[in-house]
Amino acid sequence: MFEVLVYLYETYYRPDACPEPEALVKKLSAIGFEEDEIAKALGWLTDLAETNHEFADKYPQQTAFSFGIRIYAQQEIDVLGIAAIGFIQFLESAKMLNPVQREIVIARALTVSETPVPLDKLKVIVLMVLWSQGKEPDGLMFDELFLDEDDDPEPRQLH
């Protein structure tokens, strides 16, 4: 599924630039993606669009101007894992994600079938959340999202 999402991000500059679902499925199949992976990716994107609308409708004021600390429920900690939570906090503290985007990232990450959520998959989720909102990540965020753990021998320290 994540390979399909990355392909869509790299190929279409905005979600509305994607062809209609039937044509997109044919194109992705012709490229070599498995039907199951295509269905999962398109379903995940549909759910992402619904989550975007849900948060925009329900929490426009509450979350957009929240300056508090996000406390994670134990279930979220168990599913996301410490590395993913740390990365989300890093992106938010660096102003690369706002509180609404953070909540959408968390909601979509909780649907991943792996526990804890691998950092490389969380990075794709962040990228797809921004892409779905028509936001272009800045250069620093791009570096963070595509930096390979092997490229960074020094662990990050929070100050």
Side-chain angles (χ1 to χ4, degrees), residues 5-117:
L5 295 175
V6 170
Y7 174 82
L8 293 174
Y9 178 83
E10 290 175 343
T11 306
Y12 302 103
Y13 61 97
R14 289 190 332 255
D16 59 354
C18 290
E20 292 298 315
E22 286 182 23
L24 183 58
V25 168
K26 287 180 184 178
K27 182 173 185 168
L28 293 170
S29 293
I31 292 169
F33 291 111
E34 299 289 327
E35 264 185 59
D36 185 46
E37 294 300 308
I38 295 169
K40 286 180 186 176
L42 296 182
W44 192 90
L45 285 173
T46 299
D47 292 344
L48 173 59
E50 291 173 9
T51 304
N52 277 329
H53 291 299
E54 177 185 322
F55 274 83
D57 293 343
K58 288 186 178 179
Y59 309 106
Q61 297 293 324
Q62 291 173 305
T63 317
F65 300 106
S66 171
F67 298 105
I69 296 173
R70 171 63 154 86
I71 305 296
Y72 290 83
Q74 188 60 49
Q75 179 187 8
E76 292 171 327
I77 295 169
D78 294 342
V79 173
L80 295 172
I82 300 300
I85 290 171
F87 189 70
I88 292 168
Q89 289 175 332
F90 164 74
L91 292 176
E92 189 177 11
S93 69
K95 306 274 188 257
M96 294 181 208
L97 286 179
N98 66 39
V100 173
Q101 292 165 331
R102 174 198 66 213
E103 293 303 314
I104 294 170
V105 166
I106 292 168
R108 298 311 307 146
L110 291 173
T111 67
V112 174
S113 60
E114 295 179 60
T115 302
V117 175

Side-chain angles (χ1 to χ4, degrees), residues 119-120 123 147-153:
L119 206 49
D120 61 331
K123 290 177 180 184
L147 181 66
D148 196 5
E149 284 82 27
D150 299 333
D151 296 341
D152 191 14

